[in-house]
Amino acid sequence: MRALFHFLCAASLALAVPAAAQIGGASVAVAPRLSFSAEEMALAEAVASDPVLAEFYGTNGLRRIFTASEKTALREAMAAAFAAAGDHGLPNGRYQITAKPSGLADEIAHARSLSRYLGDLGGGLIDPGSADAQIHRQAHRTKVAAAMHQVVAAEDPRDALADLAPQDPAYRDLQKALKAQAQLVVSADLPKAPEAVWRVGMSGPGVIPLRDRLRSIGYDSIASEAATYDQALSEAVARYQDAVGLRPDGVAGPNTIRRLNVGPGAQQRAILVALERMRWLGDQDLSARMVWVNIPEFTGRIKEGGHEVFRTRVVVGKTDHDMRTPEFSDLMEYVVVNPRWNVPRSITVREYLPRLQANRHAVAHLDVVDGRGNIIPRDRIDFGRYTAANFPYRMRQKPSDDNALGLVKFIFPNQWNIYLHDTPTKHLFANNRRAYSHGCVRVGDPFDLATALLSRQSDDPHGLFHRTLATQNERWLKLDPPVPVHLVYFTAFPDQTGRIRYFDDIYGRDAAVWEKLAQAGLDLNAGKD
C-alpha cells in the first residue's frame, strides 16, 4: 500500500498539468488531482511495485498504451522484435506475448515484456558480478522508462526498437557470427564421419558421411565418386573451415571432422557470452580513444574510432583464484617513469615475510619501510615476532632496470591496485599462453605504449618520455585528457576484418557467465530462424 500511495502522489502531480494557471494576470498554483477513475486506480495498483512501469505510466497519464486500438503498429513491432530476440543472443521465450490485446492484464503483460526486453538489451540479461566475483563491472542499464516512451512515441516503432540495441560494429559482427553458427548445425539423423586425415586424391568409405554432413549445411560439392576426396570436396571443406575459425587448408583432419560432428557447441556459447559482455559495456563510448586489454587473448591495444592503432603482447594474472586479473573499466591518468615498486601487502606477508623470518637478509633488493616511508634497517627488526595479520612494515623497491615494474607503469587508480607496467622478465612474452603475474598487466612494448599515450599532449612524446627516463628519478606524467582503459574478457571477438577469433577461457569465467545465462532461459537455439 505504501508503494501505491507514493506512486499516486507522484502521478497526481504529473497529471496536474499545467502546474500553474494565470488568473487576472497573477500566477496561481493548481492543486494536484486527487481523484482517479476505477481504471486508473486498477492500473496504478498493478504497476505500483514496479519502479520502471510506475514511472512510465505515472508520466503517461495512467492511460492504457499497448492495448489501444490505434497502437496496432506498436504491437506488431514489439512482437517482431521479441521473436527476433535470439539474434541478440537473448531467449525469445522471455518476452513473448500470446494473449490478445484486450483488458488490463494484457496491457500490463505488453508493458512488462517491453520493459524486460529493453532492460536486457540495454545492459545485459544478468548481473555481471553474479557470475564471478572478479568481474567488477557494473552494467549501467538503459533508462528503461524513457526508452519505452521513445518506442511508444516513435513514428516507426520498429526503427526505434532497432536503434535501442547496441550499435557498436563488434556487436553486429558477433550477431552475424551467431547467425552463421546456428546455420552450421548438422541434422542429428546423419551418420558421423570417422576421424581421419583426407587430402585430394584419397578414397575411402569415410568420405561419404563427411560429404553428406557438409552438403546438409549448404557446403555442396559435385563428385563423380562419392567415396573420393576430390578437389571440389576439398574446396567445400576449406569454406567450412573458414566459417568455423579453422585454418582453411582444405584438408579434412581430426579437428575439422570433430567440429563437423559435434556442431557449433563451444564457439556458439562463446559468441553468446560475448554478446552479453558487449551489452554490459553499453554505457561506454567504444569509439573513443582507449586502452583495450583482452585478458584471454593476452593482448593490449590502443583504439581510436573503433580501429586499432597500437598493439602489444601482455602478461596477465595467473590462474590461481587470488591472482587473476579482474575485469573493469576506468580512466588512465598517469604514466609513471622510473617507478618505485610498493610491494602489495598480500605478496609481502604471503611470500616475503616467511623468507625474512628464515633469513633477515633475504630479498635484499627490497627495502623495509615504516608507515611514513622511512627505510628501517633489518637488524632492528625481529621478524619472528610478527604474523601476516600484524606485520607493521611495507616493502619497496627503488627505481632500477631490475625493478619488478620495469621502467614505466600506467596508473588508473582503483581499489584493486591493478595497473599496467613494464617488467624485467621479457622472455615470458615469447610464450603463447601468458598468465604469470599476480594480477597486474605486464606490457611487452611499454616504451612504445608510453609514447603513444603521450602523443596527445606533446609534439615530441618520444623525447619527453626518454628525457624523463634519463633522470633515473620517479616522475609522474599526467595524461591530459585521461584515457579510458577497459580490462575485458572476450573468448570470441571480431578482428579488424570482422572475422571472429577465439581464445581459451583461462579463468573459467565464460563458463560461469554461460551458466547464469542458461538459468535465465538462454540456450543454443539463439540466432536460429
Side-chain angles (χ1 to χ4, degrees), residues 87-90 121 123-126 137 166 168 170-175 177-178 266-282 286 292 294 296 327 488-494 500-503 505 509-511 513-514 517 522:
D87 293 349
H88 293 279
L90 294 171
L121 198 61
L125 188 61
I126 67 170
R137 189 172 297 289
D168 190 81
Y171 187 87
R172 292 196 291 270
D173 287 338
L174 287 165
Q175 283 187 286
L178 178 64
Q267 289 184 344
Q268 189 171 354
R269 283 194 295 272
I271 293 171
L272 289 166
V273 171
L275 284 165
E276 174 71 2
R277 289 181 178 278
M278 287 295 291
R279 289 190 288 270
W280 296 346
L281 290 165
L286 298 184
W292 177 273
N294 190 16
E327 298 168 57
V488 297
Y489 192 98
F490 286 96
T491 62
F493 205 75
I500 305 300
R501 302 292 181 179
Y502 298 93
F503 313 102
D505 185 11
R509 286 186 194 156
D510 262 25
V513 172
W514 173 253
L517 291 173
L522 191 61

Short mmCIF file of all heavy atoms in Angstrom, two decimals, residues 87-90 121 123-126 137 166 168 170-175 177-178 266-282 286 292 294 296 327 488-494 500-503 505 509-511 513-514 517 522:
data_model
loop_
_atom_site.label_atom_id
_atom_site.label_comp_id
_atom_site.label_asym_id
_atom_site.label_seq_id
_atom_site.Cartn_x
_atom_site.Cartn_y
_atom_site.Cartn_z
N ASP A 87 18.46 -13.19 -32.20
CA ASP A 87 19.51 -12.55 -33.00
C ASP A 87 20.49 -11.78 -32.12
O ASP A 87 21.61 -11.50 -32.53
CB ASP A 87 18.90 -11.59 -34.03
CG ASP A 87 18.10 -12.32 -35.09
OD1 ASP A 87 18.20 -13.56 -35.16
OD2 ASP A 87 17.38 -11.65 -35.85
N HIS A 88 20.03 -11.40 -30.93
CA HIS A 88 20.89 -10.70 -29.97
C HIS A 88 21.48 -11.65 -28.93
O HIS A 88 22.15 -11.21 -27.99
CB HIS A 88 20.09 -9.61 -29.25
CG HIS A 88 19.65 -8.49 -30.14
ND1 HIS A 88 20.48 -7.45 -30.50
CD2 HIS A 88 18.47 -8.27 -30.75
CE1 HIS A 88 19.82 -6.62 -31.29
NE2 HIS A 88 18.60 -7.09 -31.46
N GLY A 89 21.19 -12.94 -29.09
CA GLY A 89 21.64 -13.86 -28.06
C GLY A 89 20.80 -13.75 -26.80
O GLY A 89 21.29 -13.97 -25.70
N LEU A 90 19.53 -13.41 -26.96
CA LEU A 90 18.59 -13.32 -25.84
C LEU A 90 17.52 -14.40 -26.01
O LEU A 90 17.19 -14.78 -27.14
CB LEU A 90 17.92 -11.94 -25.80
CG LEU A 90 18.85 -10.75 -25.49
CD1 LEU A 90 18.10 -9.45 -25.70
CD2 LEU A 90 19.40 -10.84 -24.08
N LEU A 121 18.41 -5.69 -23.33
CA LEU A 121 19.15 -5.24 -24.50
C LEU A 121 20.10 -4.09 -24.14
O LEU A 121 21.19 -3.98 -24.71
CB LEU A 121 18.15 -4.77 -25.56
CG LEU A 121 18.64 -4.65 -27.01
CD1 LEU A 121 19.11 -6.00 -27.53
CD2 LEU A 121 17.52 -4.11 -27.88
N GLY A 123 21.68 -3.44 -21.20
CA GLY A 123 22.51 -3.60 -20.01
C GLY A 123 22.85 -5.03 -19.69
O GLY A 123 23.69 -5.29 -18.83
N GLY A 124 22.21 -5.96 -20.39
CA GLY A 124 22.55 -7.36 -20.18
C GLY A 124 21.45 -8.14 -19.51
O GLY A 124 20.60 -7.61 -18.79
N LEU A 125 21.49 -9.43 -19.75
CA LEU A 125 20.49 -10.35 -19.22
C LEU A 125 20.74 -10.65 -17.75
O LEU A 125 19.81 -10.90 -16.98
CB LEU A 125 20.51 -11.64 -20.05
CG LEU A 125 19.45 -12.69 -19.83
CD1 LEU A 125 18.07 -12.13 -20.14
CD2 LEU A 125 19.72 -13.91 -20.72
N ILE A 126 22.01 -10.63 -17.34
CA ILE A 126 22.36 -10.98 -15.96
C ILE A 126 23.19 -9.87 -15.31
O ILE A 126 23.70 -8.99 -16.01
CB ILE A 126 23.15 -12.31 -15.90
CG1 ILE A 126 24.54 -12.15 -16.54
CG2 ILE A 126 22.37 -13.43 -16.56
CD1 ILE A 126 25.47 -13.32 -16.32
N ARG A 137 32.38 -5.15 -12.89
CA ARG A 137 31.77 -4.30 -13.91
C ARG A 137 30.31 -4.09 -13.56
O ARG A 137 29.58 -5.05 -13.29
CB ARG A 137 31.91 -4.94 -15.28
CG ARG A 137 31.50 -4.04 -16.42
CD ARG A 137 31.83 -4.67 -17.75
NE ARG A 137 33.26 -4.89 -17.94
CZ ARG A 137 34.15 -3.93 -18.15
NH1 ARG A 137 33.75 -2.67 -18.19
NH2 ARG A 137 35.41 -4.22 -18.33
N PRO A 166 22.53 -2.26 -29.00
CA PRO A 166 23.92 -1.82 -29.13
C PRO A 166 24.29 -1.61 -30.59
O PRO A 166 23.98 -2.45 -31.45
CB PRO A 166 24.72 -2.97 -28.50
CG PRO A 166 23.77 -3.59 -27.53
CD PRO A 166 22.42 -3.48 -28.18
N ASP A 168 27.55 -0.81 -31.70
CA ASP A 168 28.97 -0.98 -31.98
C ASP A 168 29.17 -2.02 -33.08
O ASP A 168 28.50 -3.06 -33.09
CB ASP A 168 29.71 -1.42 -30.72
CG ASP A 168 31.22 -1.37 -30.91
OD1 ASP A 168 31.79 -0.28 -30.79
OD2 ASP A 168 31.81 -2.42 -31.20
N ALA A 170 31.42 -4.21 -33.52
CA ALA A 170 31.80 -5.52 -32.98
C ALA A 170 30.56 -6.32 -32.57
O ALA A 170 30.51 -7.54 -32.75
CB ALA A 170 32.75 -5.37 -31.81
N TYR A 171 29.58 -5.63 -32.01
CA TYR A 171 28.33 -6.30 -31.62
C TYR A 171 27.64 -6.87 -32.86
O TYR A 171 27.17 -8.02 -32.85
CB TYR A 171 27.43 -5.31 -30.89
CG TYR A 171 26.18 -5.93 -30.29
CD1 TYR A 171 26.20 -6.49 -29.02
CD2 TYR A 171 24.97 -5.92 -30.99
CE1 TYR A 171 25.05 -7.05 -28.46
CE2 TYR A 171 23.83 -6.47 -30.44
CZ TYR A 171 23.87 -7.03 -29.17
OH TYR A 171 22.73 -7.58 -28.63
N ARG A 172 27.60 -6.07 -33.92
CA ARG A 172 26.94 -6.54 -35.14
C ARG A 172 27.71 -7.71 -35.77
O ARG A 172 27.10 -8.64 -36.31
CB ARG A 172 26.78 -5.39 -36.13
CG ARG A 172 25.80 -4.32 -35.64
CD ARG A 172 25.37 -3.40 -36.77
NE ARG A 172 26.46 -2.55 -37.22
CZ ARG A 172 26.73 -1.35 -36.72
NH1 ARG A 172 25.99 -0.88 -35.74
NH2 ARG A 172 27.72 -0.63 -37.20
N ASP A 173 29.05 -7.67 -35.71
CA ASP A 173 29.84 -8.79 -36.22
C ASP A 173 29.56 -10.06 -35.42
O ASP A 173 29.48 -11.16 -35.99
CB ASP A 173 31.34 -8.46 -36.16
CG ASP A 173 31.77 -7.44 -37.20
OD1 ASP A 173 31.06 -7.31 -38.22
OD2 ASP A 173 32.81 -6.79 -37.01
N LEU A 174 29.41 -9.92 -34.12
CA LEU A 174 29.09 -11.08 -33.29
C LEU A 174 27.69 -11.61 -33.62
O LEU A 174 27.47 -12.83 -33.64
CB LEU A 174 29.18 -10.70 -31.81
CG LEU A 174 30.60 -10.51 -31.26
CD1 LEU A 174 30.56 -9.80 -29.92
CD2 LEU A 174 31.32 -11.85 -31.12
N GLN A 175 26.75 -10.71 -33.89
CA GLN A 175 25.42 -11.15 -34.29
C GLN A 175 25.46 -11.96 -35.58
O GLN A 175 24.83 -13.01 -35.70
CB GLN A 175 24.50 -9.94 -34.49
CG GLN A 175 23.98 -9.31 -33.21
CD GLN A 175 22.95 -8.25 -33.52
OE1 GLN A 175 23.29 -7.16 -33.98
NE2 GLN A 175 21.69 -8.55 -33.28
N ALA A 177 27.98 -13.61 -36.74
CA ALA A 177 28.64 -14.89 -36.46
C ALA A 177 27.69 -15.85 -35.76
O ALA A 177 27.71 -17.06 -36.01
CB ALA A 177 29.89 -14.65 -35.61
N LEU A 178 26.84 -15.32 -34.86
CA LEU A 178 25.87 -16.17 -34.18
C LEU A 178 24.91 -16.78 -35.18
O LEU A 178 24.60 -17.99 -35.12
CB LEU A 178 25.11 -15.35 -33.14
CG LEU A 178 24.02 -16.10 -32.38
CD1 LEU A 178 24.62 -17.21 -31.54
CD2 LEU A 178 23.23 -15.13 -31.49
N ALA A 266 30.94 -25.08 -28.33
CA ALA A 266 31.72 -24.12 -27.54
C ALA A 266 31.83 -22.76 -28.23
O ALA A 266 31.76 -21.72 -27.57
CB ALA A 266 33.11 -24.69 -27.25
N GLN A 267 32.01 -22.76 -29.54
CA GLN A 267 32.14 -21.49 -30.23
C GLN A 267 30.85 -20.69 -30.18
O GLN A 267 30.86 -19.47 -29.99
CB GLN A 267 32.58 -21.72 -31.68
CG GLN A 267 34.03 -22.19 -31.79
CD GLN A 267 34.48 -22.30 -33.24
OE1 GLN A 267 33.66 -22.32 -34.16
NE2 GLN A 267 35.78 -22.39 -33.44
N GLN A 268 29.72 -21.36 -30.32
CA GLN A 268 28.45 -20.66 -30.25
C GLN A 268 28.23 -20.10 -28.86
O GLN A 268 27.77 -18.95 -28.69
CB GLN A 268 27.30 -21.59 -30.64
CG GLN A 268 25.98 -20.88 -30.80
CD GLN A 268 24.91 -21.78 -31.38
OE1 GLN A 268 25.19 -22.91 -31.76
NE2 GLN A 268 23.68 -21.30 -31.43
N ARG A 269 28.57 -20.88 -27.84
CA ARG A 269 28.46 -20.37 -26.47
C ARG A 269 29.35 -19.16 -26.26
O ARG A 269 28.97 -18.18 -25.61
CB ARG A 269 28.80 -21.47 -25.46
CG ARG A 269 27.70 -22.49 -25.26
CD ARG A 269 27.95 -23.33 -24.03
NE ARG A 269 29.13 -24.15 -24.15
CZ ARG A 269 29.16 -25.38 -24.68
NH1 ARG A 269 28.04 -25.91 -25.14
NH2 ARG A 269 30.28 -26.06 -24.75
N ALA A 270 30.57 -19.21 -26.82
CA ALA A 270 31.50 -18.08 -26.66
C ALA A 270 30.92 -16.82 -27.29
O ALA A 270 31.08 -15.72 -26.75
CB ALA A 270 32.85 -18.42 -27.29
N ILE A 271 30.26 -16.94 -28.43
CA ILE A 271 29.65 -15.78 -29.08
C ILE A 271 28.49 -15.25 -28.25
O ILE A 271 28.33 -14.03 -28.07
CB ILE A 271 29.19 -16.15 -30.51
CG1 ILE A 271 30.41 -16.45 -31.40
CG2 ILE A 271 28.37 -15.02 -31.11
CD1 ILE A 271 30.04 -17.03 -32.75
N LEU A 272 27.66 -16.15 -27.73
CA LEU A 272 26.54 -15.71 -26.90
C LEU A 272 27.02 -14.97 -25.65
O LEU A 272 26.46 -13.93 -25.27
CB LEU A 272 25.70 -16.93 -26.49
CG LEU A 272 24.88 -17.58 -27.61
CD1 LEU A 272 24.38 -18.95 -27.19
CD2 LEU A 272 23.71 -16.69 -28.01
N VAL A 273 28.08 -15.48 -25.04
CA VAL A 273 28.63 -14.80 -23.86
C VAL A 273 29.24 -13.46 -24.27
O VAL A 273 29.11 -12.45 -23.55
CB VAL A 273 29.68 -15.70 -23.17
CG1 VAL A 273 30.42 -14.92 -22.08
CG2 VAL A 273 29.00 -16.92 -22.56
N ALA A 274 29.90 -13.41 -25.42
CA ALA A 274 30.49 -12.16 -25.89
C ALA A 274 29.42 -11.10 -26.14
O ALA A 274 29.62 -9.91 -25.83
CB ALA A 274 31.31 -12.40 -27.16
N LEU A 275 28.29 -11.48 -26.70
CA LEU A 275 27.19 -10.53 -26.90
C LEU A 275 26.72 -9.98 -25.56
O LEU A 275 26.45 -8.77 -25.42
CB LEU A 275 26.04 -11.21 -27.64
CG LEU A 275 26.25 -11.43 -29.15
CD1 LEU A 275 25.23 -12.43 -29.68
CD2 LEU A 275 26.16 -10.11 -29.91
N GLU A 276 26.61 -10.84 -24.57
CA GLU A 276 26.21 -10.38 -23.23
C GLU A 276 27.24 -9.41 -22.67
O GLU A 276 26.88 -8.37 -22.11
CB GLU A 276 26.04 -11.59 -22.31
CG GLU A 276 25.75 -11.25 -20.85
CD GLU A 276 24.35 -10.69 -20.61
OE1 GLU A 276 23.56 -10.60 -21.56
OE2 GLU A 276 24.05 -10.36 -19.44
N ARG A 277 28.51 -9.74 -22.81
CA ARG A 277 29.56 -8.85 -22.30
C ARG A 277 29.53 -7.49 -23.02
O ARG A 277 29.79 -6.45 -22.41
CB ARG A 277 30.93 -9.50 -22.47
CG ARG A 277 31.16 -10.68 -21.52
CD ARG A 277 32.56 -11.26 -21.72
NE ARG A 277 32.84 -12.34 -20.82
CZ ARG A 277 33.24 -12.20 -19.56
NH1 ARG A 277 33.38 -10.98 -19.06
NH2 ARG A 277 33.49 -13.25 -18.80
N MET A 278 29.22 -7.49 -24.31
CA MET A 278 29.09 -6.23 -25.03
C MET A 278 27.93 -5.40 -24.48
O MET A 278 28.02 -4.17 -24.39
CB MET A 278 28.90 -6.48 -26.52
CG MET A 278 30.15 -6.95 -27.26
SD MET A 278 31.47 -5.71 -27.28
CE MET A 278 30.76 -4.47 -28.37
N ARG A 279 26.84 -6.07 -24.10
CA ARG A 279 25.71 -5.33 -23.53
C ARG A 279 26.09 -4.71 -22.18
O ARG A 279 25.60 -3.64 -21.83
CB ARG A 279 24.49 -6.25 -23.40
CG ARG A 279 23.86 -6.61 -24.74
CD ARG A 279 22.53 -7.31 -24.57
NE ARG A 279 22.69 -8.67 -24.08
CZ ARG A 279 22.83 -9.74 -24.85
NH1 ARG A 279 22.86 -9.61 -26.17
NH2 ARG A 279 22.95 -10.95 -24.33
N TRP A 280 26.97 -5.37 -21.42
CA TRP A 280 27.45 -4.77 -20.17
C TRP A 280 28.19 -3.47 -20.42
O TRP A 280 28.22 -2.59 -19.57
CB TRP A 280 28.39 -5.73 -19.44
CG TRP A 280 27.78 -7.01 -18.99
CD1 TRP A 280 26.44 -7.31 -18.90
CD2 TRP A 280 28.47 -8.17 -18.53
NE1 TRP A 280 26.27 -8.59 -18.44
CE2 TRP A 280 27.50 -9.15 -18.20
CE3 TRP A 280 29.82 -8.49 -18.39
CZ2 TRP A 280 27.85 -10.42 -17.72
CZ3 TRP A 280 30.17 -9.74 -17.91
CH2 TRP A 280 29.19 -10.69 -17.58
N LEU A 281 28.81 -3.35 -21.58
CA LEU A 281 29.58 -2.16 -21.93
C LEU A 281 28.73 -1.09 -22.59
O LEU A 281 29.25 -0.11 -23.13
CB LEU A 281 30.73 -2.54 -22.88
CG LEU A 281 31.87 -3.37 -22.28
CD1 LEU A 281 32.73 -3.96 -23.38
CD2 LEU A 281 32.71 -2.51 -21.35
N GLY A 282 27.42 -1.27 -22.54
CA GLY A 282 26.52 -0.39 -23.29
C GLY A 282 26.65 1.08 -22.98
O GLY A 282 26.37 1.92 -23.83
N LEU A 286 32.60 3.23 -27.09
CA LEU A 286 33.64 2.36 -27.63
C LEU A 286 34.27 2.92 -28.90
O LEU A 286 35.15 2.29 -29.48
CB LEU A 286 33.07 0.96 -27.88
CG LEU A 286 32.57 0.24 -26.63
CD1 LEU A 286 32.10 -1.17 -26.97
CD2 LEU A 286 33.62 0.21 -25.54
N TRP A 292 42.57 -0.99 -24.53
CA TRP A 292 41.69 -2.16 -24.51
C TRP A 292 42.58 -3.38 -24.29
O TRP A 292 43.41 -3.71 -25.13
CB TRP A 292 40.95 -2.24 -25.84
CG TRP A 292 40.04 -3.40 -26.08
CD1 TRP A 292 40.36 -4.62 -26.58
CD2 TRP A 292 38.62 -3.43 -25.88
NE1 TRP A 292 39.26 -5.42 -26.69
CE2 TRP A 292 38.17 -4.71 -26.27
CE3 TRP A 292 37.70 -2.49 -25.41
CZ2 TRP A 292 36.82 -5.08 -26.21
CZ3 TRP A 292 36.36 -2.87 -25.35
CH2 TRP A 292 35.93 -4.15 -25.75
N ASN A 294 42.37 -7.33 -23.72
CA ASN A 294 41.54 -8.54 -23.71
C ASN A 294 42.33 -9.64 -23.00
O ASN A 294 43.29 -10.18 -23.54
CB ASN A 294 41.17 -8.96 -25.13
CG ASN A 294 40.12 -10.07 -25.13
OD1 ASN A 294 39.47 -10.31 -24.12
ND2 ASN A 294 39.98 -10.76 -26.25
N PRO A 296 41.98 -12.96 -22.01
CA PRO A 296 42.30 -14.29 -22.52
C PRO A 296 43.05 -14.29 -23.86
O PRO A 296 43.56 -15.32 -24.29
CB PRO A 296 40.93 -14.96 -22.67
CG PRO A 296 39.96 -13.84 -22.78
CD PRO A 296 40.53 -12.71 -21.98
N GLU A 327 38.14 -7.80 -14.18
CA GLU A 327 37.55 -7.05 -15.28
C GLU A 327 36.91 -5.77 -14.74
O GLU A 327 36.11 -5.82 -13.82
CB GLU A 327 36.45 -7.87 -15.96
CG GLU A 327 36.91 -9.16 -16.59
CD GLU A 327 35.73 -10.04 -16.97
OE1 GLU A 327 34.86 -9.57 -17.73
OE2 GLU A 327 35.66 -11.17 -16.47
N VAL A 488 38.98 -6.32 -20.33
CA VAL A 488 37.82 -7.09 -20.77
C VAL A 488 38.20 -8.56 -20.89
O VAL A 488 39.38 -8.93 -20.84
CB VAL A 488 37.27 -6.55 -22.11
CG1 VAL A 488 36.77 -5.13 -21.95
CG2 VAL A 488 38.32 -6.63 -23.21
N TYR A 489 37.19 -9.39 -21.08
CA TYR A 489 37.40 -10.84 -21.12
C TYR A 489 36.51 -11.42 -22.21
O TYR A 489 35.37 -11.81 -21.96
CB TYR A 489 37.06 -11.44 -19.76
CG TYR A 489 37.50 -12.87 -19.55
CD1 TYR A 489 38.68 -13.16 -18.86
CD2 TYR A 489 36.72 -13.93 -20.01
CE1 TYR A 489 39.07 -14.48 -18.64
CE2 TYR A 489 37.12 -15.24 -19.80
CZ TYR A 489 38.28 -15.52 -19.11
OH TYR A 489 38.67 -16.83 -18.89
N PHE A 490 37.02 -11.43 -23.43
CA PHE A 490 36.28 -11.97 -24.57
C PHE A 490 37.02 -13.19 -25.11
O PHE A 490 38.15 -13.08 -25.57
CB PHE A 490 36.16 -10.93 -25.69
CG PHE A 490 35.17 -9.84 -25.39
CD1 PHE A 490 35.58 -8.63 -24.86
CD2 PHE A 490 33.82 -10.03 -25.64
CE1 PHE A 490 34.67 -7.61 -24.58
CE2 PHE A 490 32.90 -9.03 -25.37
CZ PHE A 490 33.32 -7.81 -24.84
N THR A 491 36.35 -14.34 -25.08
CA THR A 491 36.93 -15.54 -25.70
C THR A 491 36.51 -15.65 -27.16
O THR A 491 36.99 -16.53 -27.87
CB THR A 491 36.51 -16.81 -24.95
OG1 THR A 491 35.09 -16.95 -24.99
CG2 THR A 491 36.98 -16.75 -23.49
N ALA A 492 35.63 -14.78 -27.60
CA ALA A 492 35.25 -14.66 -29.01
C ALA A 492 35.11 -13.18 -29.30
O ALA A 492 34.35 -12.49 -28.62
CB ALA A 492 33.93 -15.40 -29.29
N PHE A 493 35.84 -12.70 -30.32
CA PHE A 493 35.76 -11.28 -30.64
C PHE A 493 36.24 -11.07 -32.07
O PHE A 493 37.16 -11.75 -32.53
CB PHE A 493 36.62 -10.45 -29.68
CG PHE A 493 36.13 -9.03 -29.54
CD1 PHE A 493 35.00 -8.75 -28.80
CD2 PHE A 493 36.79 -7.98 -30.18
CE1 PHE A 493 34.53 -7.45 -28.67
CE2 PHE A 493 36.33 -6.69 -30.07
CZ PHE A 493 35.19 -6.41 -29.31
N PRO A 494 35.59 -10.13 -32.80
CA PRO A 494 35.98 -9.90 -34.19
C PRO A 494 37.32 -9.17 -34.30
O PRO A 494 37.62 -8.28 -33.50
CB PRO A 494 34.84 -9.05 -34.75
CG PRO A 494 34.24 -8.38 -33.55
CD PRO A 494 34.41 -9.33 -32.41
N ILE A 500 35.63 -13.58 -36.57
CA ILE A 500 35.67 -13.89 -35.15
C ILE A 500 36.91 -14.72 -34.82
O ILE A 500 37.20 -15.72 -35.48
CB ILE A 500 34.40 -14.66 -34.72
CG1 ILE A 500 33.14 -13.87 -35.12
CG2 ILE A 500 34.43 -14.90 -33.21
CD1 ILE A 500 33.04 -12.50 -34.52
N ARG A 501 37.63 -14.27 -33.80
CA ARG A 501 38.77 -15.01 -33.28
C ARG A 501 38.39 -15.60 -31.93
O ARG A 501 37.67 -14.97 -31.15
CB ARG A 501 39.99 -14.09 -33.12
CG ARG A 501 40.41 -13.41 -34.42
CD ARG A 501 40.97 -14.39 -35.42
NE ARG A 501 41.39 -13.75 -36.66
CZ ARG A 501 41.93 -14.42 -37.68
NH1 ARG A 501 42.10 -15.72 -37.61
NH2 ARG A 501 42.28 -13.77 -38.78
N TYR A 502 38.89 -16.78 -31.64
CA TYR A 502 38.53 -17.49 -30.42
C TYR A 502 39.76 -17.69 -29.54
O TYR A 502 40.86 -17.94 -30.02
CB TYR A 502 37.90 -18.84 -30.75
CG TYR A 502 36.62 -18.72 -31.54
CD1 TYR A 502 36.64 -18.77 -32.94
CD2 TYR A 502 35.40 -18.53 -30.91
CE1 TYR A 502 35.47 -18.63 -33.68
CE2 TYR A 502 34.23 -18.39 -31.63
CZ TYR A 502 34.26 -18.45 -33.02
OH TYR A 502 33.10 -18.31 -33.73
N PHE A 503 39.53 -17.60 -28.21
CA PHE A 503 40.61 -17.72 -27.24
C PHE A 503 40.15 -18.61 -26.09
O PHE A 503 38.96 -18.75 -25.82
CB PHE A 503 41.01 -16.33 -26.72
CG PHE A 503 41.19 -15.32 -27.80
CD1 PHE A 503 40.19 -14.37 -28.05
CD2 PHE A 503 42.31 -15.32 -28.62
CE1 PHE A 503 40.33 -13.45 -29.08
CE2 PHE A 503 42.45 -14.41 -29.65
CZ PHE A 503 41.47 -13.46 -29.88
N ASP A 505 39.26 -20.01 -22.44
CA ASP A 505 38.62 -19.47 -21.24
C ASP A 505 39.53 -19.75 -20.04
O ASP A 505 39.27 -20.63 -19.23
CB ASP A 505 37.24 -20.13 -21.07
CG ASP A 505 36.44 -19.56 -19.92
OD1 ASP A 505 36.84 -18.51 -19.37
OD2 ASP A 505 35.41 -20.18 -19.56
N ARG A 509 35.70 -18.02 -16.60
CA ARG A 509 34.64 -17.02 -16.41
C ARG A 509 33.52 -17.16 -17.43
O ARG A 509 32.35 -16.94 -17.11
CB ARG A 509 35.23 -15.61 -16.47
CG ARG A 509 36.01 -15.23 -15.24
CD ARG A 509 36.45 -13.79 -15.28
NE ARG A 509 37.46 -13.54 -14.26
CZ ARG A 509 38.34 -12.57 -14.32
NH1 ARG A 509 38.34 -11.74 -15.35
NH2 ARG A 509 39.22 -12.41 -13.35
N ASP A 510 33.88 -17.49 -18.66
CA ASP A 510 32.83 -17.67 -19.66
C ASP A 510 31.88 -18.79 -19.26
O ASP A 510 30.67 -18.70 -19.45
CB ASP A 510 33.44 -17.97 -21.03
CG ASP A 510 33.54 -16.73 -21.90
OD1 ASP A 510 33.59 -15.63 -21.33
OD2 ASP A 510 33.57 -16.87 -23.13
N ALA A 511 32.45 -19.86 -18.71
CA ALA A 511 31.61 -20.97 -18.27
C ALA A 511 30.64 -20.52 -17.18
O ALA A 511 29.47 -20.91 -17.17
CB ALA A 511 32.48 -22.12 -17.76
N VAL A 513 29.55 -17.37 -16.69
CA VAL A 513 28.56 -16.49 -17.30
C VAL A 513 27.52 -17.30 -18.05
O VAL A 513 26.31 -17.03 -17.97
CB VAL A 513 29.24 -15.46 -18.22
CG1 VAL A 513 28.20 -14.65 -19.00
CG2 VAL A 513 30.13 -14.51 -17.42
N TRP A 514 27.98 -18.31 -18.80
CA TRP A 514 27.05 -19.14 -19.56
C TRP A 514 26.05 -19.84 -18.63
O TRP A 514 24.85 -19.92 -18.94
CB TRP A 514 27.79 -20.17 -20.40
CG TRP A 514 26.84 -21.14 -21.04
CD1 TRP A 514 26.62 -22.45 -20.71
CD2 TRP A 514 25.93 -20.85 -22.10
NE1 TRP A 514 25.63 -22.99 -21.49
CE2 TRP A 514 25.20 -22.03 -22.36
CE3 TRP A 514 25.67 -19.72 -22.86
CZ2 TRP A 514 24.22 -22.09 -23.34
CZ3 TRP A 514 24.69 -19.78 -23.85
CH2 TRP A 514 23.98 -20.96 -24.08
N LEU A 517 23.45 -17.37 -17.80
CA LEU A 517 22.59 -17.10 -18.96
C LEU A 517 21.62 -18.25 -19.18
O LEU A 517 20.44 -18.04 -19.51
CB LEU A 517 23.45 -16.89 -20.21
CG LEU A 517 24.29 -15.61 -20.25
CD1 LEU A 517 25.22 -15.63 -21.47
CD2 LEU A 517 23.41 -14.37 -20.28
N LEU A 522 18.46 -18.87 -21.64
CA LEU A 522 19.16 -18.88 -22.93
C LEU A 522 19.62 -20.29 -23.26
O LEU A 522 20.06 -21.04 -22.38
CB LEU A 522 20.37 -17.94 -22.87
CG LEU A 522 21.07 -17.64 -24.20
CD1 LEU A 522 20.11 -16.96 -25.16
CD2 LEU A 522 22.29 -16.76 -23.97
#
